[in-house]
Amino acid sequence: MTAGPGGGTFEAATGDGPPLPPADAEQRSREIRAAVDGLLQIRRLTADQGADPRTVPADWERRQPVRAVALALESGGLVPSSVDASGARIATGYRVRAGDRPATAVVEWLGPSGSGAAREEAEALGACVPALARLGWEALLYKGPRGRRFLEVEPLGG
C-alpha cells in the first residue's frame, strides 16, 4: 500500500496480526492518513468521470477487499483485534477476513476467551458501518452460527 517506517510496506491491521505498539500510535496515524490519501488519489485517477472518489471503491480494492476494508476500519478509528505468536487472540476488536463472494469481506468482533466480545459485538459492529460507508463500502449485519453477529461488506453498487 504505502511505505512505512524504514521504507517497509504499510499494511492495514486486519485483526489477525500482533498488537500494534502503543509508542508508535502517532506514526501509525500518519501512515493511515497517507494510505487513505493514496487510496483516494488512485480512485480519482481510475474512477469514471464524475464519480465521487469517496464513494466508489477502485478496482484494486475490489480485488483485495480484506486490505481495503481493514484500511477503512482503521482509518475510522476502530481498534483491531490481535493475536500472539501462537495465534491465540489477545485483544478485542474487529477482524476482517475474505467473504464467500468476490469483492466481499466479512467483519467480526472478536476477543480473547472470556473478554465479553460476544456481548459487545452488535454495538461494536454497528460502529463499523459508518466508517465503511465513508469510504464506499456497504455493510449488512447478519447472525451466524452460535448466534454470533458479523458484517458482510461489499463495494457500494455491488
Side-chain angles (χ1 to χ4, degrees), residues 12 23 31 33 41-42 58 61 78 90 100 107 117 126 144-146 155-156:
E31 292 174 350
R33 281 193 306 275
Q41 183 63 20
I42 289 169
E61 295 168 272
L78 294 144
I90 57 173
D100 294 334
V107 177
R146 299 180 310 275
L156 276 175

Side-chain angles (χ1 to χ4, degrees), residues 18 20 41 60 77 114 127:
L20 301 172
Q41 183 63 20
W60 168 88

Side-chain angles (χ1 to χ4, degrees), residues 89 92 110-120 148:
R89 198 143 308 273
T92 300
L110 301 176
S113 180
S115 67
R119 289 187 304 274
E120 302 169 0
R148 295 297 305 262

